Amino acid sequence: MLDKKDGLMPLMALPVRLFMGGPMGDGKFCMPWIHIQDWVGAMRHLIANENARGVYNLIAPVPTSNAEFNRTLASVLRRPYWFPVPAFLLRTFLGEMSVLIVEGRFSQPKRLTESGYRFQFPGPREALTDLFS
């Protein structure tokens, strides 16, 4: 979940803010994410929908690689994008939390969108601009 002050976002933004932004690990993996306002909106939508049962992926509908996400973050923060952060450094400093950054998975919010939820921030540019502007 993307929140300017909580979760992984402050840790992910730190290298970019320090002019060392780049892909985390090889940057090729798909990185599921969701803006906090969409997460809250989706939860409200599902609670209000009496037909909503079972598992729903609360992630943004636009599949994004880590490299693309960090490139967008650097652009929004007006910082360079050039310094890859090696996976071993992430594992050293973040421990088990590094799995969330260096080992992504491809998913879609198919059931959520089929239930009628409309995202306010479907892509990373919209979400990051909202958080950092």
Side-chain angles (χ1 to χ4, degrees):
M1 179 172 18
L2 299 183
D3 185 327
K4 186 176 181 176
K5 296 180 182 176
D6 293 320
L8 287 175
M9 192 73 254
L11 292 172
M12 292 176 66
L14 183 61
V16 175
R17 288 183 185 277
L18 297 174
F19 295 88
M20 295 186 294
M24 305 265 181
D26 67 8
K28 294 178 183 176
F29 63 86
C30 189
M31 190 177 108
W33 61 272
I34 187 170
H35 189 288
I36 189 166
Q37 289 180 24
D38 275 324
W39 187 87
V40 171
M43 291 299 292
R44 287 182 174 166
H45 169 80
L46 293 172
I47 290 169
N49 184 344
E50 62 186 44
N51 295 322
R53 302 206 189 298
V55 177
Y56 286 79
N57 285 328
L58 298 187
I59 57 174
V62 177
T64 310
S65 72
N66 174 267
E68 180 183 351
F69 185 89
N70 284 326
R71 188 176 302 113
T72 303
L73 177 59
S75 171
V76 167
L77 293 176
R78 295 183 173 91
R79 297 289 198 276
Y81 176 82
W82 62 278
F83 190 78
V85 179
F88 79 88
L89 280 179
L90 294 168
R91 288 186 185 98
T92 300
F93 289 106
L94 299 177
E96 289 182 21
M97 277 182 44
S98 69
V99 171
L100 299 172
I101 296 175
V102 297
E103 296 177 20
R105 63 171 191 233
F106 179 78
S107 309
Q108 286 290 317
K110 183 178 178 184
R111 292 191 68 212
L112 183 60
T113 55
E114 286 175 350
S115 75
Y117 183 73
R118 299 290 174 249
F119 286 84
Q120 294 178 38
F121 305 98
R125 178 149 311 271
E126 298 96 339
L128 294 168
T129 299
D130 178 72
L131 291 173
F132 293 103
S133 293

